[in-house]
Amino acid sequence: MRKLISLFRIKGLIIWLAVISLIAVFILVFMDSLLKKAFIVSSETINRAKVELDSLETDLTKTSVTLDNLSWTDREKPMRNLFTFNSAKLDIEAAPLLKKHVTIDNFSIDGLELDTERKTSGALAKSKETETANNETSKTETNNIFSKLKDIDISTAIDIEKIPAVKEARRLGSLAKEKAAMWNSKIAKAADTAELKATYEIIQKIDVESYNFPADILKAKKDAETVQAFIKQVQAKKNETDRLVKELSMEQSNISNELSNLKKMSQKAPKDLLMSADSNPVDAKAIVQELIGKNLTDTLTKSVALYRKYQHMIPRPEKGEAKPETVKRVSEKGTYVYFRKSGETPRVYIKNMYLNGSTKNGDILTGNIKNLSTDITYKPYDIDLKLLKSSGTTPFFTLGGQVGVVENAISTYLQISASGYPISDIIHPSDNNSLKGVSGNIDMQGQIKGTGEDFTLDIRLTSPLIGIDINSENMDSKLAELLDSAIGKVDNFTADLSASGTLDNYSINISTNLQDIISRNIKGYLTKQIQKVNGEIQKRYNEEMTKIFAGSENAIAGLSLNDSSKLKLKELTGLNSNAAEKNNLIKKAISGQAGSGALDKLKSKFPF
């Protein structure tokens, strides 16, 4: 009987060993595919979108797992992957596995790429995320924000006749012509010798040589009286014409001085004729909002969305006391939450995760994350990520900080730092039909603080020089030139971006010095253009005024004796000279009779 029982025990042991062997063989043969399937199912449950993996291989001797070619779909954008990697290796501690815990010493990822394009949709068949709304992007007319600039009329056209100095110069010219006509008329009339012609003819007939003294003494006396009376008449006329000529000269001098003073005062074009650049005709705030405000707002919104996306992937901490047993639940966000015994290692704990990959721009992504686990209350996650240029060794972008728990709420503190970061990665011309392109690099300093659903995000951007290329299609060439001058190159650019609130309801604030720079540059440009235009206006003004003043000066120069007046004065002078000469001859003839008694009698009565 005992032998029979022993035989049954031996057979049972053999059967048990056979079953165990079959199970071991099954596990060894099919474990990788089973684990791969389990990994994909659990990952898709967490992600609520497709997770694709080419292969999963285990090495029981080294307790390690290798994953090849993983694609993790962005559930909000099913045609893009949140990330992909070429390979990942997990070095797992053996002892915790006996307690159904997974502790990973090192988790290294190579060939990591973020935000890559998918060939097919990664949406799950029944996922609500596949229902997408077609949002039509509103198109803003490129030139709407520049409408005020269109009203700027930089023109050199001047209406010369509206200038007061021109009117006054023309008035003085006309006045000079009127005065010239008036004075020449007066002088001609005063110098008219028609009434003297008869007497002058008589004087002309006096023949002094025919005197026969002393018999012709009385005749000589009568002739002398006639000549002297004539001379008095001529002299009276001459005095009157001299007076009139003098008054004419004074009139000319007065008008000439008045024109000269007007000319001096009119050397500069009047202010109302020149353009002024005292006021700024543009709304720089609207330009900033149109060109980069929307992009910066969009950048902040995307940053918050990215923070929210990854933050929701973090297991939520247990509220209250930890239960003695380990329980697995599914949170509202679709992530697994594990509750553990106090002081116990989490069900899944990754001591170090090393990342090595690249961005879509070809930059190198490297860094590590420590203390990843299914229970964030165990230890805070330590994050240290860097971006490097493919040809450099110094990071131009870093993201570091911790994610932990404070009073049963997830607490985040991350710092962002960038140096020489391409501004085109922040401001995308493709999203803005007013913007053709941006150039330049920026420095960035920022931080993200969050507790639960509340958060604050602050980023400061600085750059010594950025370029903004306006979409000038269908834009006036002068307007395009103005904008290129004002915005084409921006020195010492700064922008402060902030967002705060809850992940579902937050406000955004953007403060930048670009508004002041644009206002200053546009005003500077307009000032130069206006100075140039005013120089041209002054030149044209001088040319026009020179012509006008020359005409008035000629008119004033004509305020003098005309040929007719000169001829009459010449005739008057001739009459006076001839009469004086005749008078001298008569006096001489009479004086030649010295010693004559008759002459003495005449002298006593008619002294010469």
Side-chain angles (χ1 to χ4, degrees), residues 3-233:
K3 291 182 179 179
L4 183 62
I5 293 172
S6 295
L7 180 62
F8 276 113
R9 286 179 176 177
I10 291 171
K11 289 181 178 180
L13 179 61
I14 292 172
I15 293 171
W16 182 80
L17 290 174
V19 171
I20 293 298
S21 298
L22 288 173
I23 293 173
V25 170
F26 180 83
I27 290 174
L28 289 173
V29 173
F30 297 105
M31 183 175 67
D32 287 354
S33 60
L34 291 174
L35 287 176
K36 174 184 174 182
K37 183 65 176 177
F39 175 83
I40 291 175
V41 171
S42 61
S43 296
E44 288 184 345
T45 302
I46 294 172
N47 190 37
R48 290 184 289 168
K50 285 185 179 180
V51 176
E52 297 162 331
L53 180 67
D54 281 0
S55 67
L56 184 151
E57 297 179 359
T58 59
D59 187 341
L60 296 180
T61 61
K62 298 180 180 179
T63 60
S64 66
V65 177
T66 301
L67 309 175
D68 290 325
N69 297 323
L70 179 137
S71 298
W72 189 289
T73 301
D74 185 342
R75 68 169 179 260
E76 296 178 0
K77 298 177 182 178
M79 291 305 295
R80 301 197 70 82
N81 290 313
L82 194 62
F83 62 86
T84 63
F85 60 71
N86 296 333
S87 66
K89 185 177 180 181
L90 295 78
D91 295 328
I92 304 172
E93 293 183 7
L97 292 175
L98 300 176
K99 297 181 180 180
K100 298 181 181 180
H101 285 202
V102 178
T103 298
I104 301 171
D105 286 331
N106 293 302
F107 184 174
S108 60
I109 298 176
D110 289 317
L112 177 67
E113 292 187 24
L114 306 177
D115 191 25
T116 60
E117 188 176 357
R118 293 180 57 86
K119 294 181 179 179
T120 59
S121 174
L124 297 176
K126 297 181 180 180
S127 175
K128 293 183 179 180
E129 279 74 15
T130 58
E131 300 177 5
T132 58
N134 295 322
N135 296 322
E136 295 184 359
T137 303
S138 60
K139 295 183 179 180
T140 305
E141 290 294 332
T142 305
N143 293 339
N144 282 354
I145 58 171
F146 309 122
S147 58
K148 288 188 177 182
L149 281 175
K150 290 181 179 179
D151 298 331
I152 300 175
D153 180 21
I154 301 180
S155 172
T156 59
I158 57 176
D159 189 351
I160 201 73
E161 297 302 328
K162 290 184 177 180
I163 301 174
V166 171
K167 294 180 180 180
E168 182 63 14
R170 292 195 188 283
R171 184 191 72 81
L172 292 176
S174 298
L175 178 63
K177 291 179 180 179
E178 292 174 6
K179 294 292 185 179
M182 179 192 75
W183 286 112
N184 274 288
S185 175
K186 286 185 176 182
I187 292 171
K189 184 177 181 180
D192 186 55
T193 58
E195 62 185 32
L196 300 176
K197 287 293 181 71
T199 305
Y200 183 70
E201 289 178 0
I202 293 172
I203 293 174
Q204 286 289 93
K205 293 178 181 180
I206 296 174
D207 186 4
V208 177
E209 293 181 357
S210 66
Y211 286 155
N212 184 15
F213 293 107
D216 290 334
I217 278 293
L218 292 177
K219 183 175 182 299
K221 169 236 171 195
K222 185 177 180 182
D223 288 342
E225 289 176 349
T226 300
V227 171
Q228 289 176 12
F230 180 80
I231 289 174
K232 286 182 179 181
Q233 285 182 296

Side-chain angles (χ1 to χ4, degrees), residues 265-297:
M265 292 188 294
S266 306
Q267 288 180 351
K268 291 185 178 180
K271 289 183 179 180
D272 56 352
L273 188 66
L274 301 175
M275 297 190 67
S276 172
D278 293 339
S279 61
N280 201 328
V282 298
D283 187 352
K285 184 177 181 180
I287 294 178
V288 172
Q289 177 61 23
E290 177 67 18
L291 294 182
I292 69 167
K294 295 178 181 178
N295 292 88
L296 294 179
T297 300

